[in-house]
Amino acid sequence: MKSDDNVIYHTLQRETSHSNPIYAKGRILSMTEGEIFLRNLLVKLEQSGMTEAELSVKAKLNRRAVTDLREGRVRSPKLSTVFALSRALGEDPGEMMGLGPRLKVQQELARYLEQYPEDVQRQMLHALVALRGEGQEPA
């Protein structure tokens, strides 16, 4: 084993990923989190109508941070960068990383329901569905 096998380098000369990609027949099966974030970042940036410079200012980051991501010099952005860019675009950082949409439930309702066990929550859901006059639970 080489002495630097477990070292993560943060320089332009060498970078080792935080996680090992999955290979099948010599090909990577899925995108990394960094690639998913970059794809989503570029789409949301275009939809916003902002330039890279405007996004950088709004995110309170150096313009180079966005340029380095777009040009592939950074493949695994820092968590603080992900959060700053996501907030500047008005997006959820988890969704930007490809984790899927979050449930949109008011915090007060979630706190209220958390005090009850799951079987009681299920009964409450059935009661709410019956109040709406629907025959089945929402998906």
Side-chain angles (χ1 to χ4, degrees):
M1 176 160 101
K2 294 185 289 184
S3 63
D4 64 346
D5 279 351
N6 295 320
V7 176
I8 298 171
Y9 293 90
H10 294 282
T11 65
L12 293 178
Q13 289 79 27
R14 179 166 177 189
E15 178 178 315
T16 302
S17 174
H18 292 272
S19 60
N20 294 326
I22 300 170
Y23 291 94
K25 296 183 182 179
R27 294 181 19 201
I28 297 177
L29 293 178
S30 64
M31 297 174 73
T32 66
E33 291 86 358
E35 291 168 331
I36 292 169
F37 176 73
L38 175 61
R39 182 194 65 203
N40 288 333
L41 175 69
L42 295 176
V43 167
K44 296 298 182 182
L45 179 59
E46 184 177 328
Q47 290 174 349
S48 75
M50 281 190 274
T51 65
E52 287 182 13
E54 291 168 332
L55 176 61
S56 300
V57 169
K58 191 170 181 180
K60 298 179 182 161
L61 295 171
N62 185 312
R63 163 115 194 257
R64 184 80 184 207
V66 178
T67 304
D68 284 350
L69 275 166
R70 182 180 46 80
E71 293 179 356
R73 286 191 289 270
V74 173
R75 292 181 293 187
S76 182
K78 291 192 288 184
L79 193 55
S80 59
T81 302
V82 169
F83 272 80
L85 292 170
S86 297
R87 277 192 218 114
L89 288 167
E91 299 293 331
D92 181 86
E95 290 181 25
M96 292 286 286
M97 293 293 293
L99 299 178
R102 290 189 194 209
L103 296 176
K104 309 269 192 270
V105 177
Q106 292 184 3
Q107 290 294 326
E108 186 178 357
L109 177 59
R111 281 192 297 274
Y112 179 79
L113 292 173
E114 283 177 343
Q115 69 182 324
Y116 297 101
E118 285 187 32
D119 60 327
V120 174
Q121 291 180 29
R122 205 170 302 108
Q123 290 173 351
M124 289 178 175
L125 176 61
H126 289 296
L128 289 171
V129 169
L131 283 174
R132 285 181 38 188
E134 297 175 6
Q136 57 187 10
E137 288 186 33

